[in-house]
Amino acid sequence: MSRINTNVSSLIAQRVLRKNNDSLNTSLERLSTGLKINKGADNPAGLIASENLRSEKAGLTQAIDNAERASNIVGTAEGGLSEISSLLNELQALVGQAANSGGLSAEEVAANQLQVDSILGTINRIAQGTAFQGKKLLNGNYAYTTSSINPAELNNVRINAARVPDGGSVNVVVQVVTSAQTGTITYASGALTDNVTLEIAGNTGTEQLSFGSGTAIADIATAVNGVTTATGVSASVSGTVLRFDSVEFGASQYVSVTRLAGTFNTSAAKDTGRDAVVLVNGAAAQASGLAVSYRNSNVDIEFDIDTAFNDAGTSTFQVTGGGATFALGSKVTEADKASIGITSVTTGSLGDENIGFLSSLASGQTNNLSNANGLTNAQKIIDKAIKQVSQLRGRLGSFQKFTVGSTINSLGVALENASAAESAIRDTDFAAETANLTRSQILASAATTVLAQANASPQAALSLLRG
């Protein structure tokens, strides 16, 4: 070393020592924080990717929480409906017992009516009291709201599910392509010319009626209508034509008129009805007589066609909101929302407009147990109520198991994969980093020793001066 103003060896040693110290500090930082990326300079591209994954993890975690909350809410509602189902079964037994009028005293009927009133009151209390965090679940709070429904066209409209956009509505266009029909048989030969015995049959049952020679068709119609409840067949007269019709519409309904004795020529021995052909928003709906149901990814509805609208025509209404909506995705989008309607199950809601509502079984109402003429209709109302509650329980169970449960499973897998990807990018590999730390410690120590030697080497110039 003959030059002392610039100690190149020292500069090299300083640079290497600084580099080794930086590497040592980086290893210490990574080992102390557990993160391979602590700032953008560590890995700019990796930082961007890991932050995106962190955001996705946060969304997935919240989506799982949302889905679990949805499951809790649906489970609470289903618990209340389960008890209502049990109460409806009790009503079923009481109405059946009341029909056994020959074996019951007036006091027993009154006692049974007291039980009916108690059951109806309990159903209302359950409907009003079943709640989750203060929100009522079974009183119609989570039912969908609609507008522009014409009651002269559509009855008993029930929205089971709908995907209503924020601030918007779902337009529903109902087009009756082909009307529903009853089973129909006609007789056009005027008054009877001899003694006739007829067997009248329909969906409800069969009755035999006998008529003498000369009986007018109007009298035959009166006799048939007198047993309509037992047969499910009604009769009407138009001019010289006697017409037999099934009471209900649809392909499952039929009317049969069989001549057992005498002369009675009809247009057919048996005839079945026809289901309506209906389009909802341009797609084919399922119909059973006048009852229509339609389901797609945007809307699930049920309704009855009014008899006045049972002809080719179009009716339109809107689903404007309501329902219980849950966000089940990592992002807030319309596609990741799931919605279900929970209709009211009070006694004023169970049943329908055609046969009446469950509340009509209470004391003083038209279908109470003391009114023998109303028991048949009371049975129809209870059957309808049981069907409505069981269908609602089925929909809630399906939503809880498949929509919510499957979503939780799927989100869990997505969260695992996102966490693994984010960890691979950002977390410290302790095995590799401890090896780097040991290497950096040795190199830093060696560089320090070399620097000390490089700083001392210019002193060799003094030996030249001494010579």
Side-chain angles (χ1 to χ4, degrees):
M1 177 63 69
S2 59
R3 294 185 294 275
I4 62 173
N5 284 335
T6 302
N7 191 341
V8 176
S9 298
S10 176
L11 293 175
I12 293 173
Q14 290 177 45
R15 176 179 59 79
V16 173
L17 178 60
R18 184 166 52 249
K19 179 179 178 182
N20 290 336
N21 282 336
D22 289 342
S23 177
L24 177 61
N25 290 334
T26 297
S27 294
L28 290 172
E29 182 182 36
R30 289 175 176 175
L31 290 171
S32 61
T33 61
L35 297 175
K36 185 163 54 179
I37 302 174
N38 291 283
K39 52 187 177 295
D42 292 337
N43 184 347
L47 177 70
I48 294 172
S50 63
E51 287 297 327
N52 288 336
L53 287 169
R54 280 188 171 186
S55 174
E56 185 174 342
K57 283 170 57 181
L60 289 170
T61 301
Q62 187 57 56
I64 291 174
D65 290 343
N66 291 347
E68 290 175 343
R69 176 66 63 87
S71 182
N72 293 336
I73 292 173
V74 171
T76 302
E78 207 277 331
L81 290 172
S82 176
E83 186 58 32
I84 290 176
S85 291
S86 298
L87 292 170
L88 290 174
N89 289 334
E90 293 290 341
L91 274 182
Q92 181 85 278
L94 289 170
V95 170
Q97 185 179 20
N100 188 35
S101 58
L104 292 180
S105 66
E107 290 77 12
E108 287 177 302
V109 172
N112 286 347
Q113 183 62 53
L114 184 62
Q115 294 182 67
V116 169
D117 293 341
S118 179
I119 289 173
L120 296 179
T122 302
I123 290 175
N124 285 330
R125 280 194 300 274
I126 293 174
Q128 296 294 336
T130 304
F132 188 91
Q133 286 195 337
K135 279 195 171 183
K136 308 292 185 182
L137 301 180
L138 301 178
N139 68 341
N141 185 50
Y142 282 128
Y144 289 98
T145 57
T146 58
S147 66
S148 303
I149 295 178
N150 187 342
E153 297 174 346
L154 305 177
N155 299 322
N156 302 313
V157 178
R158 186 180 295 266
I159 313 298
N160 299 322
R163 185 180 293 170
V164 183
D166 294 337
S169 62
V170 176
N171 198 49
V172 180
V173 180
V174 178
Q175 181 183 1
V176 178
V177 179
T178 305
S179 63
Q181 291 183 355
T182 61
T184 302
I185 293 176
T186 59
Y187 169 79
S189 299
L192 302 182
T193 57
D194 57 1
N195 297 331
V196 173
T197 299
L198 301 178
E199 183 178 79
I200 309 297
N203 284 68
T204 305
T206 303
E207 289 286 336
Q208 291 184 7
L209 300 175
S210 297
F211 305 97
S213 176
T215 301
I217 57 176
D219 296 328
I220 298 175
T222 301
V224 171
N225 290 331
V227 294
T228 294
T229 303
T231 62
V233 177
S234 65
S236 60
V237 175
S238 177
T240 59
V241 177
L242 172 62
R243 174 169 168 160
F244 301 88
D245 288 288
S246 60
V247 173
E248 303 292 339
F249 290 80
S252 63
Q253 304 296 316
Y254 77 94
V255 58
S256 171
V257 178
T258 304
R259 177 183 55 80
L260 301 180
T263 302
F264 195 83
N265 298 318
T266 57
S267 58
K270 181 179 179 180
D271 187 56
T272 58
R274 182 178 71 188
D275 296 328
V277 177
V278 180
L279 302 180
V280 176
N281 291 344
Q286 292 183 330
S288 176
L290 295 173
V292 180
S293 62
Y294 174 77
R295 181 186 301 111
N296 68 5
S297 59
N298 288 324
V299 66
D300 179 353
I301 62 175
E302 298 175 9
F303 57 88
D304 294 334
I305 300 172
D306 192 88
T307 53
F309 187 61
N310 185 28
D311 202 352
T314 301
S315 181
T316 302
F317 67 93
Q318 293 77 38
V319 182
T320 55
T325 301
F326 305 100
L328 303 181
S330 60
K331 304 291 183 182
V332 180
T333 64
E334 291 296 331
D336 286 327
K337 291 180 181 179
S339 182
I340 187 170
I342 306 178
T343 56
S344 172
V345 291
T346 61
T347 58
S349 301
L350 294 175
D352 63 34
E353 299 171 2
N354 298 327
I355 59 176
F357 295 95
L358 200 62
S359 56
S360 66
L361 273 67
S363 295
Q365 301 299 315
T366 55
N367 295 305
N368 68 79
L369 298 189
S370 61
N371 180 13
N373 295 327
L375 291 179
T376 300
N377 200 55
Q379 180 65 71
K380 293 180 180 179
I381 294 173
I382 293 174
D383 289 343
K384 183 70 173 182
I386 290 174
K387 180 180 178 181
Q388 289 171 336
V389 172
S390 61
Q391 284 182 336
L392 180 55
R393 291 183 67 188
R395 282 195 299 272
L396 291 176
S398 176
F399 184 84
Q400 185 177 23
K401 181 177 181 179
F402 297 109
T403 301
V404 176
S406 297
T407 296
I408 291 175
N409 295 336
S410 175
L411 290 172
V413 173
L415 180 60
E416 292 172 9
N417 291 328
S419 298
E422 194 263 342
S423 176
I425 296 171
R426 197 157 192 163
D427 289 349
T428 298
D429 183 344
F430 272 71
E433 205 58 51
T434 51
N436 290 337
L437 175 65
T438 301
R439 176 177 177 275
S440 297
Q441 287 174 329
I442 294 172
L443 290 175
S445 179
T448 301
T449 302
V450 170
L451 178 59
Q453 294 175 351
N455 288 338
S457 62
Q459 295 181 8
L462 292 176
S463 62
L464 297 175
L465 294 175
R466 293 191 194 102

